[in-house]
């Protein structure tokens, strides 16, 4: 159950950012945060990593999107990454 | 703790994140204190409640009205169920100081319990049966009793097969302050961990807030044992890559 | 919990992404809001209550599930703490569930405690009182709720015509009261916590709010982290956590505070920077009579005042206080600057003081003389340590000499008014003040042959077996006196129940209805939320049940003028509700009845309270609370100041309307410095100071039952200076013996710990029932307030090996 915080960078020559934004807003897995003419913060909340990738791809392909940066990835999992990665951990 | 100079009224510092923070999910650093989720102290619910929900969710005991006089219950309040809360699925295991790499340790430890017996602070306990493969091996649970890092390490001296060894670092892990749980980061005062850490200089306090030097921290867990935050604000992790002994 | 965690992750993700977009950290963060923060599902109900511990009076939200407190969070709606709590506050719910709660009345028979029924217990107490009503005494507490204190007060003074009722607050804020009375003619602070948000300079006088009032202190330090400038000046006898945050640390010798205050006034006069206008319009000067001094003292002229204060030059003050003369000049300059806002805070350091009344009056005087008074941020503010020291003790007047609403037994008019409110026959209330705390216990622990004329003592909500000074003299002797009967209402076994003959199990905090009054005149109400364990019952009920049993036994005092029971509560049909039977106690809200009755007393001293139901709605209201034309109730933040106090006439800037000189003026006092009653000598070379720690509250009967707090602070200790320790070859952590002329106790040593005393001083906290430092403290007390000095006496430290040989 990944949750990622992404930053979208817009193509500065693109004129219809508002349209792209409304498409983002319409997507239920995406929450749109702070935006300006160049960048926009979104949070993607999906049930699986595969879905997460799909959404990522979808966003990338939206008109006017020049790039995406990952600001944060969180897993809604009880085990913290630290302890689950230890050889000493017991399940 | 250094006292600030007369005119040093520290202006608010902009929070910064480094890669390590990102990897470890320390995103709360970005939140201004006023926006932090408030701390909530939660107490275990009653034993009946815990049993009911854990073992037979459907047959949750009908909340039968307790015997009462004029609305005042005269039933004794059930004891707090500290021992019946479900154990987490996965948890880290701490070995006593000087332990060799885990595979060697598991192979070499005879489960004799000598280290358990000599520990003057009852910090070392045998892993219980439910821990499967490692049952019977010595572990340290700082929540119950922290290792006090005795100067002479009687546990190492007692270990006959030598899976605890003086040749190896006595560090057993490392601790971190989980800032969004720490009282000092919630506009109140707490200095317990820094006062009680047995290793000088590991926990530094600036502006009232503790920071642990992960390089010198021995992982003894005293700070975790004493932390009074509603949810323990010390994250303790075992040493991940313990060295093997040349055999 | 799952969705909560997801919520948190999402906000964190959004925070990270947004911060990258906006780049400057100025983003609005969709974190879990106040409303949904403590959201534990529908099966947990939340309700408000003030924290059970200190006088700060934070509000908590208490989550209840299935008749049990399951969660505690700070209350965002509360002005005092704005959603924050200190470490104790977060754990306050756990105090109800210690393993050894008392659940059954226990009577000592042949040295053993045996369970008895409530009826028998109440009967026993009533009969002991019937046998000798004048030898009965009631020892109460600043942790009494207002109705508990009021009921006890009415039983004693109105019912039994017996004034031997005193609270533990005598040990904690009596000198603050006398200081206020001497200065303003009426008790309690003029300012409030809002001053902390407005002050430019905060002076802590022998006070360690960082540990003792952490939420108030962080109100100030938080301003700094927002970029505001607040200068904190710590005047103390040792370095503390407050010093860590202070800009200036002025280390004084014990009793140095008196000299420092005199020194500041000296500087204000000498440099002419005192507020001439304010002094001329609103102040008068006063000093003690040379023969048989009284609390009111006598008026002196300004010239006389100038003459006397002239002796306290900075150099002289340096000699007396140990604080360098130029620091005294610095303080004088600060107070001389009217553009600054200066707030003074103090608590036990100035109250537990053989010159307590004097030093309290002097610090008020510094503020009055300099005009640093009555504007937000300009205030002399005394803090209390107990949650209702103000509400129950000072306002209800549960002191040996007092009556409700600022009245005193010695005044015939006041007695008459109380008899009127209580509908009692004239002359019921005795004009002679009863025994104050030290005297009360002195009389109780002396045999009848030696003149010990108290033989039955009822203790509610406090633990004198640990907190009285000089325990060997004032408490421990009880054990060998067979004719003395000690009744203790408690929630856990304590040092006091150890010697008790009858132990009554009490309901605690949200197991009963209650009302507290905090340090800033804020009256706070809460409702019962869970049932007490076993047969534990409300303290108010105990008092009423005893009164009713006395009535049945034929005690005339339990009837009013018309023959009605003094605690009678009627239903709509005019029938008595039998609230003395516990099964009917909650048939009505007894707290509300008592509060509404008590409210009538409060207007004389302009401490007006609103009706009970207003407090139900609010997170406390600061008195005077006065009804507005539109029917709403308005609280008062700044007393005596025209811009806020409704009792100051329109157009007036200030009016001290209870002035003891009767002309609307406050009194600026002069007191000569006097040395402490006991000073270190060759045999006992160290100053011993006692106090509290952050994690434990008072005697630890509650906080010691909380595993997290006990782990954080497991034992009392003695703070020592490294050089002193080295000189005696004492190591960190070593157990030593502390000895004074009066007793001894053993403690581990903490060098360079939380508090760092200078050479020649040691400090010991008193919370630990296994290490009773009050075996050593002094019972010398202030002549007016009768409050003992726990902060200084002579002691010595010895290694265990030396002491035993
Ligand atoms: S920081 Fe904690 S775990 Fe590390 S040495 Fe100090 S007390 Fe031990
Ligand atoms: S003990 Fe816990 S709450 Fe206190 S400062 Fe350390 S980490 Fe924070
Ligand atoms: S103990 Fe005092 S400061 Fe701490 S939460 Fe309770 S009222 Fe507030």
């Amino acid at each position: 159950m990944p949750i990622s915080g992404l930053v979208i960078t817009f193509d500065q020559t693109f004129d219809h950012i508002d349209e792209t934004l409304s498409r983002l807003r319409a997507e239920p897995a995406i929450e749109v945060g702070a935006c300006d003419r160049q960048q926009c913060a979104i949070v993607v909340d999906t049930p699986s990593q595969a879905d997460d990738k799909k959404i990522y791809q979808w966003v990338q392909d939206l008109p006017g999107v020049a790039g995406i940066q990952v600001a944060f990835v969180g897993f809604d999992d009880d085990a913290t990454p630290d302890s689950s990665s230890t050889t000493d951990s017991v399940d | 703790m250094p006292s600030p100079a007369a005119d040093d009224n520290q202006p608010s510092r902009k929070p910064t994140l480094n890669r390590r923070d990102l990897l470890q999910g320390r995103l709360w650093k970005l939140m201004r204190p006023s926006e932090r989720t408030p701390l909530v102290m939660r107490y275990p619910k009653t034993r009946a409640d815990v049993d009911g929900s854990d073992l037979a969710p459907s047959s949750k005991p009908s909340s039968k009205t307790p015997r009462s006089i004029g609305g005042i219950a005269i039933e004794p309040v059930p004891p707090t169920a500290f021992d019946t809360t479900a154990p987490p699925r996965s948890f880290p295991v701490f070995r006593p100081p000087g332990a060799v790499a885990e595979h060697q340790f598991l192979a070499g430890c005879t489960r004799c319990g000598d280290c358990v017996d000599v520990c003057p602070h009852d910090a070392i306990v045998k892993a219980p049966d439910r821990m499967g493969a490692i049952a019977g091996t010595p572990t340290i649970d700082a929540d119950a009793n922290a290792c006090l890092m005795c100067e002479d390490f009687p546990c190492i001296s007692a270990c006959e097969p030598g899976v605890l060894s003086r040749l190896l670092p006595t560090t057993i892990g490392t601790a971190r302050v989980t800032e969004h749980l720490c009282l000092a980061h919630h506009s109140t005062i707490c200095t317990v961990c820094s006062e009680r850490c047995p290793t000088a200089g590991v926990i530094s306090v600036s502006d009232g807030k503790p920071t642990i030097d992960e390089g010198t921290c021995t992982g003894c867990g005293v700070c975790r044992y004493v932390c009074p935050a509603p949810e323990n604000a010390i994250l303790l992790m075992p040493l991940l890559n313990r060295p093997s002994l040349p055999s | 919990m799952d969705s909560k965690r997801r919520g948190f992750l999402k906000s964190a993700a959004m925070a990270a992404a947004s911060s990258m977009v906006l780049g400057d950290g100025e983003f609005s963060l969709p974190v879990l809001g106040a409303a949904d923060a403590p959201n534990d599902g529908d099966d947990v109900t939340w309700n408000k209550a003030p924290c059970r511990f200190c006088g700060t009076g934070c509000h908590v939200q208490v989550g209840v599930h299935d008749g049990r407190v399951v969660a505690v969070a700070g209350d965002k709606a509360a002005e005092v703490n704005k959603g924050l709590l200190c470490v104790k506050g977060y754990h306050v719910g756990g105090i109800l569930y210690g393993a050894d709660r008392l659940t059954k009345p226990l009577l000592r028979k042949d040295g053993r405690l045996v369970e008895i029924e409530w009826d028998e217990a109440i009967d026993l107490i009533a009969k002991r009182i019937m046998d000798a009503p004048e030898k009965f005494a009631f020892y109460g507490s600043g942790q009494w709720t207002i109705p508990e204190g009021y009921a006890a007060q009415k039983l004693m003074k109105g019912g039994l015509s017996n004034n031997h009722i005193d609270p533990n607050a005598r040990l904690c804020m009596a000198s603050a009261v006398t200081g206020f009375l001497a200065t303003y003619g009426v008790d309690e602070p003029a300012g409030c916590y809002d001053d902390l948000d407005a002050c430019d300079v905060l002076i802590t006088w022998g006070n360690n709010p960082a540990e003792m009032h952490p939420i108030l202190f962080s109100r100030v330090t938080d301003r700094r982290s927002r970029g505001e400038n607040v200068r904190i000046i710590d005047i103390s006898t040792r370095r503390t956590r407050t010093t860590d945050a202070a800009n200036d640390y002025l280390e004084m010798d014990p009793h140095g505070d008196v000299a420092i205050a005199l020194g500041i006034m000296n500087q204000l006069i000498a440099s002419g920077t005192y507020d001439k206008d304010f002094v001329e319009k609103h102040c008068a000067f006063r000093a003690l009579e040379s023969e048989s001094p009284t609390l009111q003292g006598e008026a002196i002229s300004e010239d006389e005042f100038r003459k006397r204060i002239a002796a306290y030059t900075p150099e002289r003050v340096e000699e007396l206080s140990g604080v360098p003369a130029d620091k005294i000049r610095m303080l004088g300059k600060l107070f001389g600057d009217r553009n600054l806002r200066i707030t003074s805070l103090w608590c036990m350091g100035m109250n537990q003081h053989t010159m307590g009344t004097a030093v309290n009056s002097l610090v008020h005087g510094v503020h009055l003389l300099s005009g640093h008074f009555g504007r937000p941020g300009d205030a002399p503010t005394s803090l209390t340590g107990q949650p209702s020291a103000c509400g129950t003790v000072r306002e209800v007047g549960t002191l040996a000499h007092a009556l409700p609403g600022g009245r005193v037994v010695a005044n015939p008019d006041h007695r008459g008014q109380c008899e009127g409110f209580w509908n009692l026959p004239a002359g019921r209330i005795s004009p002679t003040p009863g025994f104050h705390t030290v005297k009360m216990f002195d009389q109780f622990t002396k045999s009848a042959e030696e003149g010990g004329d108290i033989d039955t003592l009822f203790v509610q909500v406090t633990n004198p077996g640990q907190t009285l000074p000089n325990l060997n003299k004032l408490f421990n002797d009880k054990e060998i006196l067979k004719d003395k009967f000690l009744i203790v209402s408690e929630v856990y076994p304590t040092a006091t129940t150890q010697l008790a003959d009858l132990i009554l199990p009490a309901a605690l905090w949200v197991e009963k209805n209650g009302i507290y009054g905090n340090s800033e005149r804020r009256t706070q109400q809460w409702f019962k939320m869970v049932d007490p364990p076993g047969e534990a019952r409300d303290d108010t009920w105990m008092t009423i049940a005893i009164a009713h049993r006395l009535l049945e036994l034929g005690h005339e005092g339990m009837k009013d003028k018309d023959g009605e029971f003094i605690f009678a509560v009627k239903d709509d049909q005019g029938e008595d509700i039998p609230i003395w039977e516990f099964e009917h106690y909650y048939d009505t809200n007894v707290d509300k009845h008592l509060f509404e009755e008590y409210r009538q007393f409060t207007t004389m001293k302009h401490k007006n309270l609103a009706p009970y139901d207003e407090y139900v709605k609010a997170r406390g209201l600061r008195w005077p609370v006065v009804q507005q034309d539109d029917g709403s109730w308005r609280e008062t933040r700044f007393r005596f100041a025209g811009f806020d106090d409704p009792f100051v006439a329109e157009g007036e800037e200030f009016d001290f309307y209870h002035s003891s000189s009767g002309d609307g003026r406050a009194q600026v006092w002069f007191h000569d410095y006097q040395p402490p009653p006991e000073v270190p000598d060759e045999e006992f070379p160290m100053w011993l100071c006692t106090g509290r720690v952050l994690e434990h509250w008072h005697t630890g009967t509650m906080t010691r039952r909380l595993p997290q707090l006990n782990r954080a602070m497991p034992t009392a200790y003695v703070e020592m200076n490294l050089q002193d320790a080295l000189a005696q070859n004492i190591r960190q952590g070593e157990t030593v013996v502390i000895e004074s002329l009066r007793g001894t106790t053993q403690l581990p040593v903490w060098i360079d710990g939380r508090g760092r005393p200078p050479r020649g001083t040691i400090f010991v906290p008193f919370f630990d029932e296994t290490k009773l430092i009050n075996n050593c403290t002094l019972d010398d007390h202030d002549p007016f307030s009768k409050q003992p000095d726990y902060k200084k006496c002579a002691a010595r430290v010895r290694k265990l090996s030396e002491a035993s040989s």
Side-chain angles (χ1 to χ4, degrees):
Chain A
M1 306 249 282
I3 291 176
S4 30
L6 307 177
V7 177
I8 302 172
T9 311
F10 295 117
D11 180 349
Q12 288 308 294
T13 59
F14 183 70
D15 289 334
H16 306 288
I17 290 176
D18 292 341
E19 232 165 79
T20 306
L21 278 178
S22 44
R23 285 181 67 181
L24 282 169
R25 289 208 174 88
E27 169 57 47
I30 293 179
E31 218 170 280
V32 179
C35 286
D36 58 24
R37 298 306 301 170
Q38 288 141 30
Q39 289 187 309
C40 176
I42 62 170
V43 171
V44 181
D45 178 0
T46 50
S48 73
Q49 294 216 31
D51 291 324
D52 197 49
K53 283 226 180 71
K54 251 189 253 162
I55 295 272
Y56 189 94
Q57 203 53 51
W58 178 78
V59 174
Q60 185 121 60
D61 294 342
L62 285 176
V65 172
I68 305 181
Q69 283 167 278
V70 182
F72 173 86
V73 182
F75 296 91
D76 184 21
D77 223 337
D78 277 349
T80 66
D82 293 313
S83 57
S84 60
S85 66
T86 78
T87 46
D88 297 0
S89 99
V90 175
D91 263 15
Chain B
M1 183 192 279
S3 37
D7 51 357
D8 178 16
N9 279 343
Q10 42 269 330
S12 58
R13 260 182 265 112
K14 211 185 110 187
T16 50
L17 281 190
N18 54 33
R19 211 184 124 263
R20 193 171 187 161
D21 291 328
L22 262 182
L23 283 176
Q24 286 158 359
R26 284 192 248 179
L27 269 297
W28 53 81
K29 274 196 167 180
L30 288 173
M31 295 187 206
R32 278 169 292 203
S34 56
E35 285 163 336
R36 245 176 223 142
T37 314
L39 292 177
V40 180
M41 177 67 203
R42 290 189 176 76
Y43 302 94
K45 297 184 178 173
T46 58
R47 191 182 296 272
D49 200 45
V50 173
D51 291 349
S53 52
D54 263 357
L55 306 176
S58 54
S59 67
K60 195 168 182 275
S62 62
S63 37
K64 79 171 165 55
T65 24
R67 282 186 303 139
S68 72
I69 311 173
I72 306 298
I74 52 167
E75 301 273 20
V77 175
T80 307
F82 285 113
D83 47 347
T84 54
T85 39
R89 284 190 290 112
S90 153
F91 49 90
V93 171
F94 290 80
R95 296 300 184 192
V100 296
E102 187 65 11
H103 63 278
Q104 284 191 342
F105 188 86
L106 278 176
C109 169
T110 60
R111 284 108 165 120
C112 62
D114 286 349
C115 55
V116 177
D117 295 341
V118 296
C119 174
H121 306 295
D122 295 331
I124 311 180
V125 290
K126 285 191 168 189
D129 286 347
R130 67 190 159 87
M131 307 246 282
I134 70 156
T137 59
T139 61
I140 293 181
D141 176 7
D143 286 344
N145 263 323
C147 165
L148 296 190
M149 291 283 158
C150 311
E151 266 169 51
D152 50 343
F153 292 107
C155 45
I156 300 183
S157 312
C159 181
E160 239 162 77
V163 289
L164 303 181
S165 162
R166 269 180 214 282
L167 302 175
L168 297 175
T170 47
T171 298
I172 61 178
T174 184
R176 290 203 192 111
V177 177
T178 312
E179 293 167 9
H180 75 276
L181 298 177
C182 167
L183 292 163
H185 286 266
H186 275 264
S187 300
T188 186
I189 283 145
C190 183
T191 47
V192 175
C193 54
S194 56
E195 286 163 1
R196 301 277 293 281
C197 171
T199 316
V202 175
I203 306 189
S204 54
V205 179
S206 85
D207 196 13
K209 303 178 178 69
T211 315
I212 296 176
D213 175 10
E214 291 164 22
T216 46
C217 165
T218 63
C220 66
V222 168
C223 53
R224 177 158 176 107
Y225 180 81
V226 300
C227 172
E231 274 184 68
N232 202 305
I234 298 286
L235 180 67
L236 199 61
M237 288 171 308
L239 201 63
L240 300 187
N241 302 304
R242 296 203 305 265
S244 336
L245 265 186
S247 46
Chain C
M1 287 292 277
D2 232 8
S3 67
K4 198 173 141 73
R5 188 176 144 75
R6 274 191 89 73
F8 177 74
L9 279 176
K10 271 178 114 161
S11 353
M14 186 60 91
S18 301
S19 71
M20 287 171 68
V21 171
L22 301 171
D24 60 356
E26 281 307 306
F27 47 88
S28 89
L29 203 55
V31 288
L32 305 178
D36 50 352
N39 183 356
D40 285 41
D42 295 338
D43 55 349
V44 175
T45 51
W46 293 86
N47 210 336
K48 60 142 193 176
C51 171
R52 175 61 180 75
F53 300 126
C54 85
T56 301
C58 300
H59 261 87
V60 296
Q61 280 286 326
V62 185
V64 174
H65 168 77
D66 214 2
R68 196 178 160 90
V69 172
V70 295
V72 164
D75 191 335
K76 288 226 165 192
E79 274 174 277
V80 171
N81 53 313
K82 306 183 174 93
L84 302 171
L85 294 173
C86 81
V87 57
K88 291 183 295 298
Y90 285 112
H91 292 287
V92 65
I95 60 174
L96 304 180
Y97 302 118
D100 53 345
R101 269 299 287 270
L102 296 166
T103 54
K104 190 87 185 153
L106 300 169
L107 179 66
R108 199 175 296 275
K109 285 185 181 155
D110 309 320
R112 277 189 42 244
L113 288 169
V114 293
E115 292 191 353
I116 60 168
E117 295 305 320
W118 267 108
D119 286 350
E120 189 185 341
I122 297 292
D123 185 60
L124 201 79
I125 301 168
K127 287 200 173 124
R128 284 220 47 125
I129 300 175
M130 267 318 252
D131 285 349
E134 72 292 346
K135 291 189 174 173
F136 174 65
F138 209 146
Y139 186 58
S141 165
Q143 300 155 64
W144 255 342
T145 66
I146 288 174
E148 282 165 0
Y150 179 76
Q153 170 86 315
K154 189 171 180 184
L155 168 73
M156 293 297 287
K157 293 183 181 141
L160 296 172
S161 306
N162 173 338
N163 291 339
H164 298 319
I165 173 173
D166 217 42
N168 63 0
R170 174 77 71 184
L171 310 175
C172 127
M173 32 84 329
S175 303
V177 177
T178 46
F180 279 112
L181 289 177
T183 306
Y184 308 101
V186 64
D187 187 20
E188 293 198 38
C192 62
Y193 299 162
D194 299 26
D195 291 313
L196 300 172
D197 304 333
C199 63
D200 304 306
V201 179
L202 180 75
I203 305 184
T204 54
W205 295 78
N207 185 210
N208 180 11
E211 282 198 72
M212 307 322 154
H213 299 85
I215 291 301
L216 296 183
F217 195 64
S218 63
R219 242 169 116 147
V220 177
T221 48
D222 275 1
R223 285 178 57 203
R224 283 180 170 179
S225 48
R226 289 198 298 270
E228 292 179 47
N229 250 305
V230 193
R231 178 167 176 190
I232 299 176
I233 301 177
D234 182 30
I235 306 177
S236 182
T237 56
R238 63 178 182 121
R239 289 177 174 270
T240 63
R241 289 286 172 236
T242 301
T243 320
D244 293 340
N247 304 85
D248 309 77
Y249 169 60
L250 310 185
E251 193 166 275
M252 64 167 181
D253 297 334
H255 266 208
D257 42 7
V258 177
I260 295 168
L262 288 165
I264 298 172
M265 295 209 259
N266 170 292
Q267 287 298 289
L268 287 167
I269 297 281
S271 62
T273 50
Y274 69 98
D275 191 331
K276 298 173 192 78
D277 186 53
F278 184 85
V279 170
E280 190 173 310
K281 284 196 196 133
H282 307 295
C283 300
F285 294 91
R286 215 156 256 264
L288 289 179
E289 306 88 333
S290 44
E291 301 272 302
S292 54
T294 65
L295 179 59
Q296 298 314 325
E298 61 185 6
I300 56 172
S301 66
E302 185 174 333
D303 282 344
E304 178 64 24
F305 180 82
R306 285 167 170 271
K307 217 167 79 201
R308 296 198 195 176
I309 205 78
Y312 288 89
T313 59
E315 284 66 28
R316 168 105 193 277
V317 171
E318 173 170 345
E319 247 165 64
L320 297 173
S321 70
V323 174
D326 57 328
K327 296 288 181 190
I328 303 296
R329 290 200 179 88
M330 178 272 285
L331 288 173
K333 251 201 210 104
L334 272 184
F335 274 98
D337 183 351
R338 291 280 286 121
N339 294 321
L340 290 173
R341 305 269 168 132
I342 306 179
T343 294
S344 287
L345 285 186
W346 69 91
C347 197
M348 291 312 119
M350 263 169 51
N351 294 351
Q352 294 175 338
H353 197 305
T354 50
M355 290 189 75
T357 306
V359 69
N360 268 271
S361 312
L362 289 173
V363 173
H364 288 299
V366 166
H367 276 265
L368 291 167
L369 195 64
S370 61
H372 284 285
F373 185 93
R375 299 183 302 177
D378 266 340
T381 297
S382 113
L383 300 170
T384 57
Q386 299 191 80
S388 200
C390 285
T392 306
V393 171
R394 294 159 76 161
E395 292 154 32
V396 179
T398 52
L399 295 146
H401 66 280
L403 286 166
R407 295 169 175 82
V408 291
V409 296
N411 182 321
D413 293 339
H414 291 178
R415 291 198 304 276
Q417 289 156 1
C418 293
E419 285 157 356
F421 287 132
W422 282 336
N423 194 31
L424 300 175
R428 172 71 70 74
I429 298 172
S430 155
T432 327
F435 294 146
H436 62 80
T437 299
V438 171
K439 183 91 174 135
M440 184 186 280
F441 280 91
D442 201 26
Q443 294 295 318
F444 184 63
T445 49
K446 238 193 284 173
S447 66
E449 298 80 60
E450 289 169 15
D453 48 10
I454 295 294
D455 67 7
T456 303
L457 182 66
F458 187 9
V459 176
Q460 273 188 340
V461 216
T462 183
N463 186 10
Q466 188 166 343
T467 52
L468 286 169
N470 198 356
L471 283 169
N472 291 327
K473 176 175 166 206
L474 293 179
F475 188 72
N476 300 347
D477 281 354
K478 147 77 181 81
E479 199 167 2
I480 43 170
L481 294 169
K482 290 292 157 248
D483 55 336
K484 304 284 179 166
F485 195 75
L486 179 63
I487 308 158
V488 182
S489 154
E490 249 304 351
V491 293
Y492 290 111
T494 65
T496 311
T497 61
Q498 244 170 36
L499 297 193
D501 300 284
L502 178 61
I503 302 171
L504 305 176
L508 173 62
W509 194 45
V510 296
E511 293 167 353
K512 60 188 180 189
N513 290 340
I515 309 169
Y516 274 165
N518 81 350
S519 295
E520 59 162 353
R521 299 177 273 110
R522 187 185 288 276
T523 314
Q524 307 166 301
Q525 174 275 353
W526 76 93
F527 283 124
K528 170 177 171 166
M529 299 174 204
V530 297
D531 290 323
E535 292 183 24
R537 294 180 180 181
D538 301 39
D539 287 286
T540 311
W541 173 82
M542 295 177 203
T543 302
I544 293 175
I546 293 166
H548 195 263
R549 187 70 195 122
L550 284 166
L551 178 78
E552 289 172 343
L553 293 172
H555 195 293
E556 279 306 307
M558 297 303 122
K559 289 189 203 149
D560 70 8
K561 245 181 1 206
D562 305 322
E564 290 275 5
F565 179 39
I566 54 172
F567 290 108
V569 174
K570 308 275 183 196
D571 63 14
D572 294 342
Q573 279 76 49
E575 297 289 323
D576 269 333
I577 304 175
I579 52 170
W580 52 89
E581 293 168 14
F582 195 57
E583 54 268 43
H584 291 292
Y585 184 69
Y586 276 94
D587 285 1
T588 178
N589 185 343
V590 176
D591 262 36
K592 182 171 170 175
H593 287 285
L594 292 173
F595 187 79
E596 292 297 340
E597 184 181 307
Y598 159 59
R599 213 156 75 76
Q600 314 169 70
F601 290 82
T602 59
T603 52
M604 181 186 89
K605 292 281 184 182
H606 300 93
K607 300 183 179 180
N608 305 30
L609 298 177
Y612 184 86
D613 292 331
E614 293 301 314
Y615 296 99
V616 173
K617 289 185 273 181
R619 300 295 193 276
L621 295 170
R622 287 167 282 194
W623 57 256
V625 190
V626 175
Q627 194 163 29
Q628 306 295 291
D629 293 340
D630 64 359
S632 65
W633 294 82
R634 177 186 177 279
E635 63 168 358
T636 304
R637 295 180 304 149
F638 305 96
R639 274 165 96 206
F640 310 131
F643 76 93
D644 196 46
D645 189 332
F647 297 119
V648 175
E650 198 81 39
E652 293 281 327
E653 214 186 336
F654 289 100
D655 184 4
F656 296 97
Y657 40 73
H658 285 291
S659 164
S660 46
S661 46
D663 52 2
R665 288 167 184 271
Q667 313 300 321
V668 177
W669 275 81
F670 176 83
H671 282 275
D672 261 316
Y673 172 88
Q674 282 159 18
E678 185 179 275
V679 290
D681 54 18
E682 222 143 80
E683 207 181 338
F684 295 96
M686 309 288 269
W687 282 111
L688 166 65
C689 181
T690 69
R692 292 208 297 111
V693 293
L694 171 61
E695 291 82 0
H696 289 293
W697 195 73
H698 280 197
T699 59
T701 47
M702 294 179 284
T703 47
R704 296 270 277 168
R705 262 96 189 162
L706 303 171
Q708 294 94 331
L709 294 179
N710 218 28
R711 281 181 172 193
M713 183 53 76
T715 165
Y717 51 84
V718 50
E719 280 171 7
M720 265 188 107
N721 184 282
L722 177 65
Q723 298 308 322
D724 286 330
L726 286 177
Q728 284 189 261
N729 191 22
I730 289 170
R731 279 174 305 118
Q732 178 81 290
E734 173 175 341
T735 298
V736 295
V737 185
I738 308 295
E739 298 174 334
S740 78
L741 271 175
R742 295 156 293 277
T744 78
T745 189
Q746 297 187 2
L747 294 148
V749 170
W750 198 6
I751 300 163
D752 282 338
R754 195 173 282 188
R756 283 134 292 155
R759 283 212 74 168
T761 296
I762 54 176
F763 172 87
V764 180
F766 71 92
F767 70 83
D768 191 336
E769 74 285 359
T770 64
K771 304 179 177 65
L772 296 177
I773 190 59
N774 280 327
N775 289 337
C776 303
T777 47
L778 194 63
D779 56 337
D780 279 39
H781 47 69
D782 179 271
F784 305 108
S785 70
K786 316 284 190 254
Q787 178 168 0
D789 193 330
Y790 291 86
K791 298 291 186 188
K792 51 191 100 65
C793 70
R796 67 177 168 222
V797 181
R798 302 177 76 182
K799 286 177 80 80
L800 256 186
S801 49
E802 287 168 22
S804 52
S805 61

